[in-house]
Amino acid sequence: MQTRTTSRKSLASSPNCDHQVADVKQDTEVSPRCKIQIVYSRRRKKSEPVKDAIGSVTNSLPSYSSNMSQKVQSKRKRESDDKEELCKPREKLDSGSFNAYLEKIWRGFSEEKKRRCTYFDSLWFSLYRVNSSKGKVLSWIKKSHIFSKAYVFVPIVCWGHWNLLILCHFGENSKTNTRSRCMLLLDSLAMANPRRLEPEIRRFVLDIYQTADRPETKNIISRIPLLIPKVPQQRDGSECGNFVLYFIHLFLNLAPDDFSMEGYPYFMKKDWFTHEGLDRFSEGLDSMT
């Protein structure tokens, strides 16, 4: 949930979160999973730069989102050829709603799948990029025991857009015949260039290994493949969060027990699900118990 304030604020203190940020006029978003706030600078003038949740400066984030939505819809209209209507406008998910839906989805999986996989809170990657909270995030990740997991789902929200990073077999020391240590980046808006995240993803991964006292060096991390399959694309500027949830849902149902580069991209292709299926999935989120 988002709350707005014009008074001075800092990250809320709790037993698990005790870091602070600089005083600014701000919007905040609270992560229900780790009970913290992430700070968004408020844009005061139309021409004034605005910082997003990760501190990156853009000329105008609201304008970016609006323009991107128009471009996606125009592109879909040209490609639809009257075979598929645009979906009804859907409100973009905030991190609180996203985490609540993900927890509901997770409860529906078998104990075996949950034992072999895990996921990060949707704000962890953004908080990692803030120097004052980087150490805290890495300590949370260390407690997640990701090196014993086959797949780790890392939701990423940057520049007002959601992506899904999947860490595959990170406990492996080297490539084997049956499983491959690699990273998958699933982006429903390829025109936004997902490769721009790669430098920060690799720094994130290197810090995860070093915090766990693993022997992997920067050179080894640089050789872990970051794969970006051609997945189905969103139809407007608001449904990227729903795509990430659906990616997780389908991946856990369809992924092999041992991911091998020889089978890549497996089911992760441009047409690996229909938009009608996504719509039914999204409509059913609220009814999950």
Side-chain angles (χ1 to χ4, degrees), residues 149-172:
K149 308 296 182 179
Y151 302 114
V152 180
F153 299 98
V154 186
I156 294 176
V157 55
C158 291
W159 305 292
H161 177 60
W162 292 86
N163 298 273
L164 177 64
L165 176 67
I166 305 176
L167 311 179
C168 304
H169 301 304
F170 262 40
E172 296 294 321

PDB file of all heavy atoms in Angstrom, residues 149-172:
ATOM      1  N   LYS A 149      18.514 -24.609  -3.079  1.00  0.00           N
ATOM      2  CA  LYS A 149      17.293 -24.551  -3.885  1.00  0.00           C
ATOM      3  C   LYS A 149      17.606 -24.727  -5.374  1.00  0.00           C
ATOM      4  O   LYS A 149      18.643 -24.288  -5.859  1.00  0.00           O
ATOM      5  CB  LYS A 149      16.573 -23.218  -3.684  1.00  0.00           C
ATOM      6  CG  LYS A 149      16.309 -22.849  -2.227  1.00  0.00           C
ATOM      7  CD  LYS A 149      15.366 -23.822  -1.557  1.00  0.00           C
ATOM      8  CE  LYS A 149      15.068 -23.402  -0.120  1.00  0.00           C
ATOM      9  NZ  LYS A 149      14.135 -24.332   0.553  1.00  0.00           N
ATOM     10  N   ALA A 150      16.668 -25.355  -6.071  1.00  0.00           N
ATOM     11  CA  ALA A 150      16.817 -25.490  -7.518  1.00  0.00           C
ATOM     12  C   ALA A 150      16.536 -24.162  -8.215  1.00  0.00           C
ATOM     13  O   ALA A 150      17.242 -23.775  -9.153  1.00  0.00           O
ATOM     14  CB  ALA A 150      15.875 -26.563  -8.052  1.00  0.00           C
ATOM     15  N   TYR A 151      15.502 -23.455  -7.750  1.00  0.00           N
ATOM     16  CA  TYR A 151      15.113 -22.187  -8.373  1.00  0.00           C
ATOM     17  C   TYR A 151      14.812 -21.148  -7.299  1.00  0.00           C
ATOM     18  O   TYR A 151      14.163 -21.456  -6.293  1.00  0.00           O
ATOM     19  CB  TYR A 151      13.866 -22.369  -9.250  1.00  0.00           C
ATOM     20  CG  TYR A 151      14.025 -23.391 -10.354  1.00  0.00           C
ATOM     21  CD1 TYR A 151      13.289 -24.575 -10.339  1.00  0.00           C
ATOM     22  CD2 TYR A 151      14.916 -23.176 -11.406  1.00  0.00           C
ATOM     23  CE1 TYR A 151      13.428 -25.520 -11.343  1.00  0.00           C
ATOM     24  CE2 TYR A 151      15.075 -24.123 -12.414  1.00  0.00           C
ATOM     25  CZ  TYR A 151      14.328 -25.290 -12.385  1.00  0.00           C
ATOM     26  OH  TYR A 151      14.480 -26.225 -13.374  1.00  0.00           O
ATOM     27  N   VAL A 152      15.271 -19.932  -7.536  1.00  0.00           N
ATOM     28  CA  VAL A 152      14.984 -18.809  -6.649  1.00  0.00           C
ATOM     29  C   VAL A 152      14.353 -17.706  -7.489  1.00  0.00           C
ATOM     30  O   VAL A 152      14.951 -17.229  -8.464  1.00  0.00           O
ATOM     31  CB  VAL A 152      16.260 -18.275  -5.970  1.00  0.00           C
ATOM     32  CG1 VAL A 152      15.917 -17.101  -5.050  1.00  0.00           C
ATOM     33  CG2 VAL A 152      16.959 -19.390  -5.192  1.00  0.00           C
ATOM     34  N   PHE A 153      13.135 -17.289  -7.126  1.00  0.00           N
ATOM     35  CA  PHE A 153      12.414 -16.270  -7.879  1.00  0.00           C
ATOM     36  C   PHE A 153      12.676 -14.900  -7.260  1.00  0.00           C
ATOM     37  O   PHE A 153      12.429 -14.687  -6.067  1.00  0.00           O
ATOM     38  CB  PHE A 153      10.913 -16.571  -7.886  1.00  0.00           C
ATOM     39  CG  PHE A 153      10.581 -17.888  -8.531  1.00  0.00           C
ATOM     40  CD1 PHE A 153      10.371 -19.025  -7.758  1.00  0.00           C
ATOM     41  CD2 PHE A 153      10.494 -18.006  -9.909  1.00  0.00           C
ATOM     42  CE1 PHE A 153      10.075 -20.238  -8.341  1.00  0.00           C
ATOM     43  CE2 PHE A 153      10.202 -19.221 -10.512  1.00  0.00           C
ATOM     44  CZ  PHE A 153       9.988 -20.342  -9.721  1.00  0.00           C
ATOM     45  N   VAL A 154      13.151 -13.977  -8.086  1.00  0.00           N
ATOM     46  CA  VAL A 154      13.491 -12.632  -7.625  1.00  0.00           C
ATOM     47  C   VAL A 154      12.658 -11.617  -8.405  1.00  0.00           C
ATOM     48  O   VAL A 154      13.039 -11.199  -9.516  1.00  0.00           O
ATOM     49  CB  VAL A 154      14.991 -12.337  -7.826  1.00  0.00           C
ATOM     50  CG1 VAL A 154      15.358 -10.985  -7.198  1.00  0.00           C
ATOM     51  CG2 VAL A 154      15.852 -13.455  -7.239  1.00  0.00           C
ATOM     52  N   PRO A 155      11.508 -11.182  -7.885  1.00  0.00           N
ATOM     53  CA  PRO A 155      10.758 -10.124  -8.557  1.00  0.00           C
ATOM     54  C   PRO A 155      11.568  -8.828  -8.524  1.00  0.00           C
ATOM     55  O   PRO A 155      12.173  -8.486  -7.504  1.00  0.00           O
ATOM     56  CB  PRO A 155       9.477  -9.996  -7.719  1.00  0.00           C
ATOM     57  CG  PRO A 155       9.397 -11.262  -6.919  1.00  0.00           C
ATOM     58  CD  PRO A 155      10.817 -11.669  -6.677  1.00  0.00           C
ATOM     59  N   ILE A 156      11.588  -8.122  -9.639  1.00  0.00           N
ATOM     60  CA  ILE A 156      12.313  -6.854  -9.738  1.00  0.00           C
ATOM     61  C   ILE A 156      11.346  -5.787 -10.222  1.00  0.00           C
ATOM     62  O   ILE A 156      10.687  -5.959 -11.244  1.00  0.00           O
ATOM     63  CB  ILE A 156      13.491  -6.957 -10.722  1.00  0.00           C
ATOM     64  CG1 ILE A 156      14.552  -7.934 -10.188  1.00  0.00           C
ATOM     65  CG2 ILE A 156      14.115  -5.592 -10.972  1.00  0.00           C
ATOM     66  CD1 ILE A 156      15.714  -8.156 -11.150  1.00  0.00           C
ATOM     67  N   VAL A 157      11.266  -4.688  -9.487  1.00  0.00           N
ATOM     68  CA  VAL A 157      10.476  -3.546  -9.949  1.00  0.00           C
ATOM     69  C   VAL A 157      11.408  -2.338 -10.018  1.00  0.00           C
ATOM     70  O   VAL A 157      11.924  -1.870  -9.011  1.00  0.00           O
ATOM     71  CB  VAL A 157       9.248  -3.279  -9.055  1.00  0.00           C
ATOM     72  CG1 VAL A 157       9.631  -3.093  -7.597  1.00  0.00           C
ATOM     73  CG2 VAL A 157       8.466  -2.072  -9.560  1.00  0.00           C
ATOM     74  N   CYS A 158      11.673  -1.887 -11.234  1.00  0.00           N
ATOM     75  CA  CYS A 158      12.545  -0.734 -11.481  1.00  0.00           C
ATOM     76  C   CYS A 158      11.926   0.135 -12.563  1.00  0.00           C
ATOM     77  O   CYS A 158      11.356  -0.391 -13.522  1.00  0.00           O
ATOM     78  CB  CYS A 158      13.940  -1.183 -11.936  1.00  0.00           C
ATOM     79  SG  CYS A 158      14.908  -1.989 -10.652  1.00  0.00           S
ATOM     80  N   TRP A 159      12.058   1.427 -12.418  1.00  0.00           N
ATOM     81  CA  TRP A 159      11.541   2.372 -13.401  1.00  0.00           C
ATOM     82  C   TRP A 159      10.040   2.173 -13.656  1.00  0.00           C
ATOM     83  O   TRP A 159       9.558   2.315 -14.777  1.00  0.00           O
ATOM     84  CB  TRP A 159      12.337   2.290 -14.710  1.00  0.00           C
ATOM     85  CG  TRP A 159      13.800   2.475 -14.520  1.00  0.00           C
ATOM     86  CD1 TRP A 159      14.440   3.618 -14.142  1.00  0.00           C
ATOM     87  CD2 TRP A 159      14.824   1.497 -14.665  1.00  0.00           C
ATOM     88  NE1 TRP A 159      15.797   3.402 -14.040  1.00  0.00           N
ATOM     89  CE2 TRP A 159      16.055   2.107 -14.360  1.00  0.00           C
ATOM     90  CE3 TRP A 159      14.814   0.144 -15.022  1.00  0.00           C
ATOM     91  CZ2 TRP A 159      17.263   1.428 -14.400  1.00  0.00           C
ATOM     92  CZ3 TRP A 159      16.018  -0.538 -15.063  1.00  0.00           C
ATOM     93  CH2 TRP A 159      17.229   0.108 -14.761  1.00  0.00           C
ATOM     94  N   GLY A 160       9.320   1.783 -12.614  1.00  0.00           N
ATOM     95  CA  GLY A 160       7.886   1.586 -12.749  1.00  0.00           C
ATOM     96  C   GLY A 160       7.500   0.340 -13.517  1.00  0.00           C
ATOM     97  O   GLY A 160       6.352   0.205 -13.939  1.00  0.00           O
ATOM     98  N   HIS A 161       8.422  -0.617 -13.687  1.00  0.00           N
ATOM     99  CA  HIS A 161       8.160  -1.823 -14.479  1.00  0.00           C
ATOM    100  C   HIS A 161       8.615  -3.064 -13.723  1.00  0.00           C
ATOM    101  O   HIS A 161       9.650  -3.054 -13.052  1.00  0.00           O
ATOM    102  CB  HIS A 161       8.884  -1.724 -15.825  1.00  0.00           C
ATOM    103  CG  HIS A 161       8.740  -2.933 -16.686  1.00  0.00           C
ATOM    104  ND1 HIS A 161       7.521  -3.401 -17.115  1.00  0.00           N
ATOM    105  CD2 HIS A 161       9.679  -3.793 -17.196  1.00  0.00           C
ATOM    106  CE1 HIS A 161       7.692  -4.480 -17.853  1.00  0.00           C
ATOM    107  NE2 HIS A 161       8.993  -4.740 -17.912  1.00  0.00           N
ATOM    108  N   TRP A 162       7.839  -4.161 -13.847  1.00  0.00           N
ATOM    109  CA  TRP A 162       8.141  -5.425 -13.186  1.00  0.00           C
ATOM    110  C   TRP A 162       8.822  -6.400 -14.140  1.00  0.00           C
ATOM    111  O   TRP A 162       8.414  -6.552 -15.287  1.00  0.00           O
ATOM    112  CB  TRP A 162       6.857  -6.091 -12.687  1.00  0.00           C
ATOM    113  CG  TRP A 162       6.158  -5.393 -11.561  1.00  0.00           C
ATOM    114  CD1 TRP A 162       5.246  -4.376 -11.667  1.00  0.00           C
ATOM    115  CD2 TRP A 162       6.297  -5.650 -10.166  1.00  0.00           C
ATOM    116  NE1 TRP A 162       4.814  -4.005 -10.424  1.00  0.00           N
ATOM    117  CE2 TRP A 162       5.437  -4.773  -9.482  1.00  0.00           C
ATOM    118  CE3 TRP A 162       7.053  -6.562  -9.423  1.00  0.00           C
ATOM    119  CZ2 TRP A 162       5.316  -4.764  -8.096  1.00  0.00           C
ATOM    120  CZ3 TRP A 162       6.936  -6.553  -8.043  1.00  0.00           C
ATOM    121  CH2 TRP A 162       6.082  -5.655  -7.392  1.00  0.00           C
ATOM    122  N   ASN A 163       9.875  -7.064 -13.636  1.00  0.00           N
ATOM    123  CA  ASN A 163      10.550  -8.172 -14.314  1.00  0.00           C
ATOM    124  C   ASN A 163      10.657  -9.333 -13.339  1.00  0.00           C
ATOM    125  O   ASN A 163      10.489  -9.162 -12.125  1.00  0.00           O
ATOM    126  CB  ASN A 163      11.976  -7.790 -14.743  1.00  0.00           C
ATOM    127  CG  ASN A 163      12.023  -6.658 -15.731  1.00  0.00           C
ATOM    128  OD1 ASN A 163      11.931  -6.858 -16.927  1.00  0.00           O
ATOM    129  ND2 ASN A 163      12.183  -5.434 -15.230  1.00  0.00           N
ATOM    130  N   LEU A 164      10.992 -10.508 -13.872  1.00  0.00           N
ATOM    131  CA  LEU A 164      11.244 -11.662 -13.009  1.00  0.00           C
ATOM    132  C   LEU A 164      12.622 -12.230 -13.307  1.00  0.00           C
ATOM    133  O   LEU A 164      12.911 -12.640 -14.433  1.00  0.00           O
ATOM    134  CB  LEU A 164      10.185 -12.752 -13.222  1.00  0.00           C
ATOM    135  CG  LEU A 164      10.412 -14.035 -12.422  1.00  0.00           C
ATOM    136  CD1 LEU A 164      10.326 -13.757 -10.919  1.00  0.00           C
ATOM    137  CD2 LEU A 164       9.422 -15.123 -12.829  1.00  0.00           C
ATOM    138  N   LEU A 165      13.464 -12.254 -12.290  1.00  0.00           N
ATOM    139  CA  LEU A 165      14.768 -12.902 -12.360  1.00  0.00           C
ATOM    140  C   LEU A 165      14.663 -14.254 -11.676  1.00  0.00           C
ATOM    141  O   LEU A 165      14.120 -14.355 -10.569  1.00  0.00           O
ATOM    142  CB  LEU A 165      15.821 -12.029 -11.668  1.00  0.00           C
ATOM    143  CG  LEU A 165      17.240 -12.612 -11.560  1.00  0.00           C
ATOM    144  CD1 LEU A 165      17.881 -12.729 -12.945  1.00  0.00           C
ATOM    145  CD2 LEU A 165      18.092 -11.734 -10.636  1.00  0.00           C
ATOM    146  N   ILE A 166      15.149 -15.309 -12.337  1.00  0.00           N
ATOM    147  CA  ILE A 166      15.134 -16.649 -11.748  1.00  0.00           C
ATOM    148  C   ILE A 166      16.583 -17.141 -11.655  1.00  0.00           C
ATOM    149  O   ILE A 166      17.292 -17.212 -12.665  1.00  0.00           O
ATOM    150  CB  ILE A 166      14.301 -17.640 -12.581  1.00  0.00           C
ATOM    151  CG1 ILE A 166      12.883 -17.101 -12.796  1.00  0.00           C
ATOM    152  CG2 ILE A 166      14.245 -19.009 -11.884  1.00  0.00           C
ATOM    153  CD1 ILE A 166      12.028 -17.975 -13.704  1.00  0.00           C
ATOM    154  N   LEU A 167      17.022 -17.458 -10.458  1.00  0.00           N
ATOM    155  CA  LEU A 167      18.358 -18.006 -10.234  1.00  0.00           C
ATOM    156  C   LEU A 167      18.243 -19.522 -10.236  1.00  0.00           C
ATOM    157  O   LEU A 167      17.525 -20.101  -9.418  1.00  0.00           O
ATOM    158  CB  LEU A 167      18.915 -17.515  -8.892  1.00  0.00           C
ATOM    159  CG  LEU A 167      18.822 -16.002  -8.634  1.00  0.00           C
ATOM    160  CD1 LEU A 167      19.391 -15.669  -7.250  1.00  0.00           C
ATOM    161  CD2 LEU A 167      19.523 -15.208  -9.723  1.00  0.00           C
ATOM    162  N   CYS A 168      18.949 -20.162 -11.149  1.00  0.00           N
ATOM    163  CA  CYS A 168      18.832 -21.613 -11.329  1.00  0.00           C
ATOM    164  C   CYS A 168      20.073 -22.337 -10.814  1.00  0.00           C
ATOM    165  O   CYS A 168      21.191 -22.023 -11.232  1.00  0.00           O
ATOM    166  CB  CYS A 168      18.638 -21.950 -12.813  1.00  0.00           C
ATOM    167  SG  CYS A 168      17.237 -21.140 -13.607  1.00  0.00           S
ATOM    168  N   HIS A 169      19.875 -23.275  -9.889  1.00  0.00           N
ATOM    169  CA  HIS A 169      20.941 -24.167  -9.407  1.00  0.00           C
ATOM    170  C   HIS A 169      22.172 -23.389  -8.937  1.00  0.00           C
ATOM    171  O   HIS A 169      23.307 -23.709  -9.301  1.00  0.00           O
ATOM    172  CB  HIS A 169      21.341 -25.154 -10.499  1.00  0.00           C
ATOM    173  CG  HIS A 169      20.217 -26.013 -10.981  1.00  0.00           C
ATOM    174  ND1 HIS A 169      19.463 -26.813 -10.147  1.00  0.00           N
ATOM    175  CD2 HIS A 169      19.694 -26.187 -12.238  1.00  0.00           C
ATOM    176  CE1 HIS A 169      18.539 -27.449 -10.851  1.00  0.00           C
ATOM    177  NE2 HIS A 169      18.641 -27.086 -12.115  1.00  0.00           N
ATOM    178  N   PHE A 170      21.963 -22.374  -8.106  1.00  0.00           N
ATOM    179  CA  PHE A 170      23.085 -21.556  -7.661  1.00  0.00           C
ATOM    180  C   PHE A 170      23.985 -22.275  -6.664  1.00  0.00           C
ATOM    181  O   PHE A 170      25.056 -21.777  -6.332  1.00  0.00           O
ATOM    182  CB  PHE A 170      22.574 -20.236  -7.078  1.00  0.00           C
ATOM    183  CG  PHE A 170      22.633 -19.109  -8.057  1.00  0.00           C
ATOM    184  CD1 PHE A 170      22.292 -19.303  -9.384  1.00  0.00           C
ATOM    185  CD2 PHE A 170      23.042 -17.848  -7.671  1.00  0.00           C
ATOM    186  CE1 PHE A 170      22.363 -18.272 -10.302  1.00  0.00           C
ATOM    187  CE2 PHE A 170      23.124 -16.806  -8.582  1.00  0.00           C
ATOM    188  CZ  PHE A 170      22.786 -17.019  -9.899  1.00  0.00           C
ATOM    189  N   GLY A 171      23.567 -23.440  -6.188  1.00  0.00           N
ATOM    190  CA  GLY A 171      24.426 -24.216  -5.310  1.00  0.00           C
ATOM    191  C   GLY A 171      25.435 -25.069  -6.040  1.00  0.00           C
ATOM    192  O   GLY A 171      26.336 -25.646  -5.427  1.00  0.00           O
ATOM    193  N   GLU A 172      25.297 -25.147  -7.362  1.00  0.00           N
ATOM    194  CA  GLU A 172      26.230 -25.944  -8.168  1.00  0.00           C
ATOM    195  C   GLU A 172      27.571 -25.217  -8.291  1.00  0.00           C
ATOM    196  O   GLU A 172      27.625 -23.994  -8.426  1.00  0.00           O
ATOM    197  CB  GLU A 172      25.654 -26.191  -9.562  1.00  0.00           C
ATOM    198  CG  GLU A 172      24.385 -27.030  -9.563  1.00  0.00           C
ATOM    199  CD  GLU A 172      24.637 -28.447  -9.098  1.00  0.00           C
ATOM    200  OE1 GLU A 172      25.681 -29.011  -9.454  1.00  0.00           O
ATOM    201  OE2 GLU A 172      23.782 -28.980  -8.373  1.00  0.00           O
TER     202      GLU A 172
END
